[in-house]
Amino acid sequence: MDDQGRGSGPRPTDSGEDPLEPDPLDRGTPEPLPYEGVWRFTAPAVDASVPQARHAVRDLLYRQGVPVSDDLVQGLLLIVSELVTNAVRHAALLSPMLAVEVAVGAEWVRVSVEDNHPYRPTALETDHSGEGGRGLLLVREITREAGGVCDVEHTSSGGKVIWAALPLKAVRVS
């Protein structure tokens, strides 16, 4: 995770001034906000993991005090539900465990689901009379409306991570 230049390590100085004297123009290195961090948990690739993942993400956002609107929380929870459901339905045979990660920065929140199945799904238009098959379309649309981005990436172990990152400040895209 990019820490946007934050961290506790020493910073080099370019001036020849005494490093113990405070620079009146130095605004200092911003400290991470109390709600920033990365949390990851694993779950079996079974139907019961869908509501458990949704509740775990919701509880984490509230416990950490992440400044999210109710609409953003509902969108994130729907995204988590869809991604975990996809992993359970389509990857469980090759990936009996899945991982859910929540990463929160100063201005964004990212949720991702990782499994060990190599198939990289695409959000394709489906037959509207059929059942299912629209989960990734829904994820893509929720993400777009919030002003965020989503993608699928391969892991070094041959699996995949599907993620969506949404800004904490609401952005309406028409």
Side-chain angles (χ1 to χ4, degrees), residues 119-174:
Y119 173 69
R120 182 182 170 124
T122 56
L124 300 175
E125 295 293 334
T126 61
D127 176 8
H128 294 292
S129 63
E131 297 219 6
R134 293 181 207 84
L136 288 179
L137 289 171
L138 186 58
V139 167
R140 187 176 65 189
E141 189 60 23
I142 292 168
T143 303
R144 186 190 67 78
E145 284 187 15
V149 293
C150 59
D151 201 2
V152 180
E153 298 173 355
H154 288 288
T155 64
S156 60
S157 64
K160 66 184 164 303
V161 175
I162 304 176
W163 59 268
L166 308 179
L168 288 177
K169 302 217 186 296
V171 175
R172 198 67 168 165
V173 177
S174 51

Side-chain angles (χ1 to χ4, degrees), residues 2 5 32 34 43 45 82 98 108 111 129 163:
D2 180 55
E82 290 297 334
L98 57 93
W108 51 267
V111 293
S129 63
W163 59 268

Side-chain angles (χ1 to χ4, degrees), residues 87-135:
V88 167
R89 286 188 181 162
H90 305 294
L93 186 61
L94 293 178
S95 184
M97 295 296 288
L98 57 93
V100 177
E101 185 174 278
V102 180
V104 183
E107 299 175 356
W108 51 267
V109 60
R110 173 182 149 145
V111 293
S112 61
V113 174
E114 179 179 341
D115 64 55
N116 290 323
H117 197 291
Y119 173 69
R120 182 182 170 124
T122 56
L124 300 175
E125 295 293 334
T126 61
D127 176 8
H128 294 292
S129 63
E131 297 219 6
R134 293 181 207 84

Side-chain angles (χ1 to χ4, degrees), residues 21-38:
E21 286 294 317
D23 180 354
L25 299 177
D26 183 17
R27 290 180 179 79
T29 302
E31 292 298 317
L33 296 168
Y35 58 81
E36 289 183 273
V38 178

